[in-house]
Amino acid sequence: MGYKQGKFSFRYTNFLGYRKGADGQPEIVPAQADAIQMMFQSYLNGDSLFKIKEALENKGILTATGKKEWTTQAILRILQNEKYMGDVLLQKTFTANFLEGKPRKNNGELPQYYIENNHPAIVTREVFHRVQEEIARRKSKRPASQKKSKTNRGKFTSQYALSERLVCGICGCYYRRVTWNIHGRKQIVWRCINRLEFGKRYCGNSPSIPEEALHAAIVKSVQSLLDGHQEELASCLQETIENYWCDDAATSPLAVQNKLDRLNREFDRLLLLIGDEENVFLEKKLQKINNEILSLKQEVKYTERQNVQNRDKMDKLREVMELLSAENMEITEYSDVLVCRLIEQITVLSKTEIRIRFVGGYEVEQKLLI
């Protein structure tokens, strides 16, 4: 009942980032908040949980229990905890047997209650949702090769940003970084994993791309955005905004919700008319209205998903534009962090050309100087 009324005790023990303030409300601990913000930003920059763990330990940042050594699971729990964006989800766990007193994860056995803006946020709502999206993306990664891969690499790797972004334009498989040793001369190249592991059976014409040429092409494409293609990015952002704010009365979320409310009222009225007596005509009408209600509910869910996707796209586009329009912004050399922040995917079209899709959907084709 306390949860239902929004009454609960905020846990401060063994919880990083907050302490009890003078007014009895949660108060941010600045030093711990900096560490939490660093975790979120590092994860968005492409760092793995293990890399973040190493960074925390190297900087001497202690865990919530005062330990020097971090675990990747502890970091993941922080990245997934809604409290860091100022919200609270109540009744995540419950005690099924009060004699044993063991808590169990609430998987729908009991209702949960969500409170927005309960306390000051350490990370913005946008950053938190983008991290959840990135967590889901890494967990759902398909295998590196479409066939049964010898390495079976279907998991996220943060060693090189291009491992998650460079794909073959012929078979759609990821590329992998390899070192050639020809007559004592070493060269680093990127090769299609299907071609690398199975030869020409599954991908016969994918080219091998020297890393230096690939890095140079990426730097040149980013420089071109700085030099004169920001208008295209702005146009892409404007198009997304127009799609999001489209107020076509026939399909707008408000129109759908109004129709849903009207059908629900009509459904309730017919139920009262029928009572306990059989009425074939009214029952058929009830069934028809019920089908319409179910269809509209699906439409509402679809519209909500589309709105979330459009909002995410807008946020990403704005971040790219802010980054590119920053004062003294000058790209002179390749950076994995920059690739993680700016680029969604790079497709190898041929030995001399790649297609780069920037965050938000803007694409540009770039020549490779080999």
Side-chain angles (χ1 to χ4, degrees):
M1 289 300 294
Y3 285 158
K4 192 173 182 179
Q5 296 168 12
K7 298 176 182 178
F8 68 99
S9 297
F10 195 96
R11 190 190 73 175
Y12 299 101
T13 308
N14 298 336
F15 189 74
L16 206 67
Y18 292 97
R19 63 190 171 206
K20 191 172 184 179
D23 59 355
Q25 298 301 311
E27 178 183 271
I28 294 175
V29 181
Q32 295 178 359
D34 290 343
I36 290 164
Q37 289 170 349
M38 183 271 284
M39 293 183 218
F40 276 84
Q41 192 56 57
S42 296
Y43 197 79
L44 287 179
N45 287 344
D47 289 348
S48 66
L49 295 174
F50 186 76
K51 216 174 213 181
I52 297 172
K53 160 185 156 68
E54 287 184 327
L56 290 168
E57 291 173 353
N58 290 337
K59 290 182 179 181
I61 297 172
L62 302 179
T63 67
T65 56
K67 296 179 181 177
K68 294 181 179 179
E69 187 175 342
W70 285 77
T71 65
T72 55
Q73 283 304 307
I75 297 167
L76 183 61
R77 282 195 295 271
I78 287 174
L79 294 176
Q80 292 179 311
N81 197 319
E82 77 289 338
K83 288 186 177 69
Y84 292 116
M85 66 169 174
D87 296 351
V88 178
L89 176 62
L90 302 177
Q91 204 149 256
K92 291 180 182 178
T93 60
F94 70 100
T95 304
N97 189 325
F98 288 96
L99 294 176
E100 293 181 0
K102 293 181 180 179
R104 283 175 50 188
K105 185 177 180 181
N106 185 1
N107 292 314
E109 292 88 348
L110 293 175
Q112 292 182 318
Y113 305 95
Y114 198 88
I115 303 173
E116 290 188 354
N117 303 316
N118 177 76
H119 53 275
I122 289 177
V123 297
T124 65
R125 198 170 295 276
E126 292 75 21
V127 166
F128 183 85
H129 287 308
R130 284 179 55 202
V131 166
Q132 306 321 300
E133 182 182 321
E134 178 64 9
I135 290 172
R137 186 190 74 82
R138 295 187 190 186
K139 286 183 177 180
S140 64
K141 268 181 56 58
R142 60 185 174 85
S145 170
Q146 292 177 350
K147 304 298 177 182
K148 188 177 179 182
S149 173
K150 295 176 185 178
T151 56
N152 195 28
R153 189 184 67 77
K155 60 182 181 180
F156 171 79
T157 173
S158 67
Q159 189 171 6
Y160 306 104
L162 294 177
S163 298
E164 301 298 311
R165 289 164 177 81
L166 189 63
V167 299
C168 177
I170 296 173
C171 69
C173 180
Y174 285 116
Y175 264 58
R176 180 187 296 155
R177 188 178 191 265
V178 297
T179 302
W180 278 351
N181 193 336
I182 304 173
H183 305 300
R185 184 177 65 87
K186 291 186 177 181
Q187 183 184 19
I188 297 173
V189 299
W190 287 79
R191 302 191 70 191
C192 169
I193 294 178
N194 266 341
R195 176 71 181 272
L196 188 64
E197 296 191 341
F198 303 105
K200 296 184 178 181
R201 282 181 295 168
Y202 303 120
C203 190
N205 299 313
S206 59
S208 298
I209 309 296
E211 186 172 75
E212 287 184 5
L214 189 58
H215 286 182
I218 293 169
V219 170
K220 192 171 182 180
S221 69
V222 176
Q223 287 173 341
S224 72
L225 284 180
L226 289 170
D227 294 338
H229 289 275
Q230 293 190 31
E231 288 186 6
E232 285 90 336
L233 272 177
S235 175
C236 190
L237 175 59
Q238 184 61 36
E239 183 182 348
T240 303
I241 292 172
E242 288 173 358
N243 289 337
Y244 176 60
W245 292 111
C246 177
D247 55 359
D248 181 359
T251 57
S252 70
L254 181 59
V256 173
Q257 189 60 52
N258 287 339
K259 188 175 180 181
L260 190 57
D261 292 341
R262 180 174 58 78
L263 287 172
N264 278 320
R265 288 195 297 270
E266 179 66 11
F267 189 87
D268 292 340
R269 187 182 70 83
L270 289 176
L271 277 179
L272 290 173
L273 286 175
I274 291 177
D276 296 329
E277 298 180 4
E278 289 187 8
N279 188 313
V280 176
F281 174 76
L282 290 181
E283 285 176 359
K284 285 184 177 180
K285 196 169 183 179
L286 271 176
Q287 185 61 49
K288 183 181 177 181
I289 293 175
N290 185 60
N291 291 338
E292 283 188 66
I293 290 173
L294 292 175
S295 177
L296 283 172
K297 284 183 176 179
Q298 291 298 319
E299 190 174 341
V300 168
K301 288 181 180 179
Y302 173 78
T303 303
E304 289 173 349
R305 286 198 300 269
Q306 289 296 106
N307 287 341
V308 169
Q309 290 173 4
N310 281 332
R311 283 198 298 270
D312 288 343
K313 188 177 179 181
M314 281 194 291
D315 291 338
K316 289 176 181 178
L317 273 170
R318 285 198 180 100
E319 183 181 352
V320 171
M321 292 182 69
E322 287 172 5
L323 181 64
L324 293 176
S325 60
E327 292 184 10
N328 302 321
M329 181 66 176
E330 187 177 349
I331 308 298
T332 57
E333 60 183 22
Y334 174 85
S335 164
D336 270 343
V337 172
L338 195 65
V339 168
C340 287
R341 293 187 66 181
L342 291 179
I343 296 174
E344 284 184 355
Q345 184 173 292
I346 302 172
T347 304
V348 178
L349 302 176
S350 68
K351 192 170 184 176
T352 59
E353 192 173 27
I354 57 175
R355 182 193 301 118
I356 300 176
R357 185 173 73 233
F358 290 92
V359 168
Y362 177 69
E363 292 187 346
V364 61
E365 293 185 3
Q366 184 67 48
K367 295 290 183 182
L368 291 165
L369 300 177
I370 299 178

